Amino acid sequence: MTENDEIAAMLEEFADRLEAKGVDYKPRAYRDAAESVREASSDALDEPTAIPDVGDAIASKIEEFREKGRVEELEELRDEMPVDIEALTRVEGVGPKTVGKLYEALGVTDLDELEDAAQHGRIQNVSGFGEKTEQNILEGVEFARQSAERTLLGKSLPKARHLVSRVEELGSVKRAVAAGSVRRRKETTGDIDIVVVSDDREATADAVTDWDAEVIQKGERKTSFRKDDEDVDLHLVKEDEFGSALQYFTGSKQHNVATRNVAIDRGLKLNEYGVWDDETDERVAGETEEEVHEALGMEYVPPELRENRGEVETARDGELPELVEEEDVRGELHSHTDRTDGGATLEEMVAGAEERGFDYLAVTDHTEALGVAGGLTDEELRALADDVRALNEDVDVRLFAGAEANILKDGSLDVSDDVLAELDVVVASIHSGMRMEEDEATERLVSAVRNDEVDILGHPSGRLINSREGYPYDFDAVLDAAASEEVALELNSNPHRLDIHDTQVWRCVEARVPVAVNTDAHTPSEYDYVEYGVATARRGWATADDVLNAWTVEELEDWLG
Ligand code: DGT
Ligand code: CA
Ligand code: CA
Ligand code: ZN
């Protein structure tokens, strides 16, 4: 976690705890400040009052935190209401206010107590709660518990990169590379694994565990520690073992089992130390991953594919696909501006797209039914389209006028077909009424796909990883409809969503349904999410041809037209 993130998390906890106490207004101020701190540069912390939304009171909290590592008033709030607010608010439908009420009424402080209270029907007796709420809480507890254990790739990947660069700077270290699920770009990760080549493994372990970390295990080959709420395993190896160690610690376990069987087939022995000829005991590979693959008679398998989903056999046949890369992505087909809930103007979003060298950008703000996001009326939507088209004359990126329409409960959209027909790109998504059974959700999604004006089905499952499970739906039915209606499915690249999932990408590839790797950017910096989307598309074996926004402007215009 960067210092900015740490401070933002502190301010957010402040906001949650004030809200739990029933304090008005202040929580909002702390949340706004948290957001600004997160966006600000690290230098900005030296003069917190200059950060937008940070007033004198909050600035002094920031200074106190930086000086002492704690904030007295926050400690008092924690003592006053000793609840695990982070865990409790992870339960869908439980916000800080609910936490406060359940603490006052029933003394609930953590997930176990929440579950117990719900199981014994105590929650429905608290004023303002009903049987249904209690049932929902009960259903949400297990999910919240599981999600507590795994970290979003959006958090662990930047952390792993930061750690790798710190480890690399050590004098005793020759090389450090992130392995494990982070390297495979799994959507959530259990811990961070780093393979480290070092001449002096003891010195390396000492140096690293000197950092502000809680040491769990310190050994010759493996040092584990906990830093900033993240478990880290350093796998310390010799230079000539690097390739086989990286291959082993990248996993997945199932992939390793499959590759070991390939080795056995070929009369070889494979482990983290190298590859040996079983008969002569001669060491035939180990220094690089490439040479390990070669010894096994396999094409090099990109880490994202190493899940034992057929990649080992395909690599032996030499038939792995050429996976899509971030550089293949030519444009963005789902973006927002401050005319709805975005944080930047149309001009800023366009400038950001130009800076990234995008060939095209579709501006797809929210439509009317999404009141919370300031959804646009027909008139406002037309005005935005006019502005987008006017701006298109002056910029280096092809702009498409669009909208992200809401799929209503009956499967219709909240904008008339006439208005949508005037736009170039229509994304349709579900944003409300998400408590649905499978049939209902499937029908809603399929009707949207069947709408002739819809080009892309946005974040189909509605999940938010670790915080909202999303509704169940029949993916095959939606895929079939998308194939026959020539609609693309979105792979929303926001690391909280990654929706559709990696295994569903695979199905799209098979069914020849294009996948739109969209960032759903609300600020120019969120175009960076494309990395997570591309990684997930790679995990689904997608090539550039399978990704709608890796197509050229001409190809895309043809498809839209
Ligand atoms: P995670 O951390 O739960 O997100 O998943 P991974 O895949 O990073 O798993 P982790 O951290 O337990 O171990 C890192 C890699 O080390 C794993 O992907 C494969 C390898 N590995 C660990 N334990 C075993 C094992 O018992 N058998 C085999 N074949 N490989 C293992
Ligand atoms: Ca791991
Ligand atoms: Ca590990
Ligand atoms: Zn959106």
Side-chain angles (χ1 to χ4, degrees):
M1 234 190 317
T2 64
E3 190 177 11
N4 291 56
D5 288 337
E6 268 177 53
I7 290 172
M10 179 273 288
L11 295 172
E12 273 157 3
E13 186 185 342
F14 236 114
D16 282 352
R17 290 190 178 274
L18 289 167
E19 199 177 330
K21 270 182 69 175
V23 175
D24 286 330
Y25 309 117
K26 257 184 157 179
R28 180 79 252 159
Y30 275 86
R31 272 188 235 292
D32 290 346
E35 203 170 308
S36 299
V37 167
R38 206 165 254 134
E39 294 289 311
S41 70
S42 53
D43 295 341
L45 295 174
D46 294 334
E47 205 192 329
T49 46
I51 301 174
D53 303 312
V54 175
D56 289 343
I58 293 180
S60 74
K61 304 279 188 306
I62 294 175
E63 279 157 5
E64 188 182 343
F65 184 79
R66 295 188 83 199
E67 229 168 80
K68 302 186 186 145
R70 68 206 295 274
V71 178
E72 199 45 45
E73 196 184 327
L74 181 58
E75 296 300 324
E76 282 164 17
L77 287 168
R78 285 176 177 168
D79 288 345
E80 212 175 304
M81 198 186 284
V83 295
D84 186 350
I85 200 147
E86 212 262 327
L88 289 168
T89 52
R90 223 181 286 121
V91 179
E92 204 178 336
V94 176
K97 282 209 178 73
T98 305
V99 172
K101 282 185 201 154
L102 293 178
Y103 176 73
E104 294 303 337
L106 305 170
V108 167
T109 65
D110 60 21
L111 286 177
D112 289 343
E113 290 170 6
L114 181 69
E115 184 173 42
D116 190 63
Q119 273 166 349
H120 291 89
R122 291 199 296 271
I123 292 178
Q124 54 178 293
N125 297 328
V126 178
S127 123
F129 293 81
E131 209 174 318
K132 192 150 186 235
T133 319
E134 183 174 75
Q135 194 52 38
N136 290 338
I137 287 176
L138 198 52
E139 282 166 18
V141 167
E142 198 40 46
F143 182 71
R145 203 175 267 140
Q146 285 166 11
S147 65
E149 287 159 20
R150 297 187 65 83
T151 309
L152 295 194
L153 182 66
K155 258 193 180 174
S156 52
L157 180 59
K159 259 188 195 173
R161 285 196 173 124
H162 175 73
L163 275 168
V164 162
S165 69
R166 279 193 73 179
V167 172
E168 270 177 333
E169 279 165 18
L170 296 173
S172 58
V173 168
K174 284 205 165 148
R175 221 170 154 184
V177 179
S181 49
V182 172
R183 184 163 183 242
R184 301 198 311 278
R185 301 290 192 267
K186 214 174 147 159
E187 62 195 30
T188 61
T189 56
D191 68 359
I192 294 175
D193 296 277
I194 303 178
V195 174
V196 182
V197 176
S198 173
D199 290 336
D200 188 343
R201 291 183 279 185
E202 207 180 315
T204 303
D206 285 345
V208 171
T209 51
D210 258 359
W211 298 342
D212 183 21
E214 178 192 332
V215 180
I216 296 163
Q217 176 196 342
K218 199 154 133 185
E220 215 217 321
R221 292 198 64 87
K222 178 173 161 185
T223 288
S224 305
F225 59 95
R226 200 172 162 74
K227 186 168 167 51
D228 303 332
D229 282 335
E230 200 78 47
D231 289 323
V232 184
D233 284 343
L234 288 191
H235 305 282
L236 301 160
V237 308
K238 296 191 202 128
E239 194 152 23
D240 69 346
E241 301 165 347
F242 175 73
S244 42
L246 184 60
Q247 200 273 339
Y248 181 86
F249 291 113
T250 296
S252 64
K253 275 177 199 155
Q254 292 78 2
H255 173 86
N256 287 356
V257 170
T259 47
R260 203 179 312 120
N261 286 335
V262 173
I264 293 167
D265 260 8
R266 295 173 70 91
L268 300 167
K269 191 176 84 185
L270 165 71
N271 60 30
E272 57 189 286
Y273 307 101
V275 185
W276 283 266
D277 186 319
D278 227 7
E279 252 164 50
T280 63
D281 244 1
E282 185 197 352
R283 191 166 184 273
V284 295
E287 199 162 340
T288 67
E289 264 195 330
E290 283 76 10
E291 96 186 9
V292 170
H293 281 88
E294 210 177 289
L296 299 178
M298 287 165 61
E299 255 184 301
Y300 179 81
V301 183
E304 295 91 334
L305 296 187
R306 302 186 194 173
E307 297 291 349
N308 198 27
R309 293 175 180 157
E311 74 280 5
V312 173
E313 296 77 3
T314 313
R316 285 185 95 174
D317 294 343
E319 282 173 2
L320 288 177
E322 198 174 310
L323 302 180
V324 61
E325 290 175 17
E326 208 178 318
E327 293 71 37
D328 295 328
V329 172
R330 293 172 189 263
E332 172 57 57
L333 295 172
H334 183 170
S335 70
H336 296 275
T337 75
D338 62 1
R339 299 193 190 193
T340 60
D341 61 349
T345 62
L346 168 62
E347 290 73 17
E348 287 164 345
M349 291 304 288
V350 172
E354 276 184 299
E355 250 167 59
R356 292 190 68 102
F358 279 159
D359 293 344
Y360 45 87
L361 171 71
V363 180
T364 57
D365 258 324
H366 292 290
T367 54
E368 201 162 4
L370 202 59
V372 287
L376 304 178
T377 63
D378 288 357
E379 280 324 295
E380 291 166 333
L381 205 51
R382 286 192 169 113
L384 174 62
D386 287 344
D387 292 347
V388 167
R389 285 173 180 142
L391 192 55
N392 186 45
E393 304 295 313
D394 307 324
V395 293
D396 271 345
V397 47
R398 164 77 162 96
L399 300 180
F400 294 108
E404 182 180 17
N406 297 295
I407 304 171
L408 302 174
K409 284 212 143 192
D410 64 358
S412 68
L413 302 182
D414 66 336
V415 186
S416 71
D417 288 355
D418 292 350
V419 176
L420 293 179
E422 296 168 26
L423 303 174
D424 309 314
V425 174
V426 175
V427 180
S429 319
I430 293 181
H431 288 111
S432 59
M434 295 202 206
R435 260 184 208 292
M436 292 183 280
E437 301 298 324
E438 180 171 330
D439 285 354
E440 198 186 342
T442 307
E443 258 169 55
R444 260 173 103 174
L445 293 168
V446 168
S447 332
V449 168
R450 293 230 168 94
N451 184 311
D452 283 340
E453 303 308 329
V454 172
D455 303 300
I456 300 170
L457 183 65
H459 47 71
S461 84
R463 75 160 171 182
L464 292 173
I465 303 172
N466 283 0
S467 63
R468 186 170 75 204
E469 212 162 357
Y471 34 81
Y473 71 100
D474 179 350
F475 181 75
D476 288 340
V478 172
L479 186 68
D480 279 353
S484 62
E485 299 288 328
E486 295 191 28
V487 163
L489 296 192
E490 175 174 273
L491 193 180
N492 193 295
S493 308
N494 183 315
H496 292 274
R497 292 191 182 271
L498 296 176
D499 182 11
I500 56 177
H501 316 171
D502 49 13
T503 50
Q504 294 171 334
V505 170
W506 169 301
R507 306 293 315 285
C508 289
V509 169
E510 275 182 331
R512 310 197 122 279
V513 168
V515 177
V517 178
N518 288 338
T519 64
D520 196 355
H522 285 65
T523 61
S525 63
E526 288 180 358
Y527 291 136
D528 289 347
Y529 290 161
V530 70
E531 175 174 20
Y532 303 105
V534 168
T536 304
R538 289 168 65 85
R539 288 175 58 81
W541 295 54
T543 67
D545 285 344
D546 303 316
V547 172
L548 183 64
N549 46 324
W551 299 2
T552 64
V553 178
E554 295 74 26
E555 288 167 334
L556 183 66
E557 279 173 340
D558 257 7
W559 184 82
L560 289 167

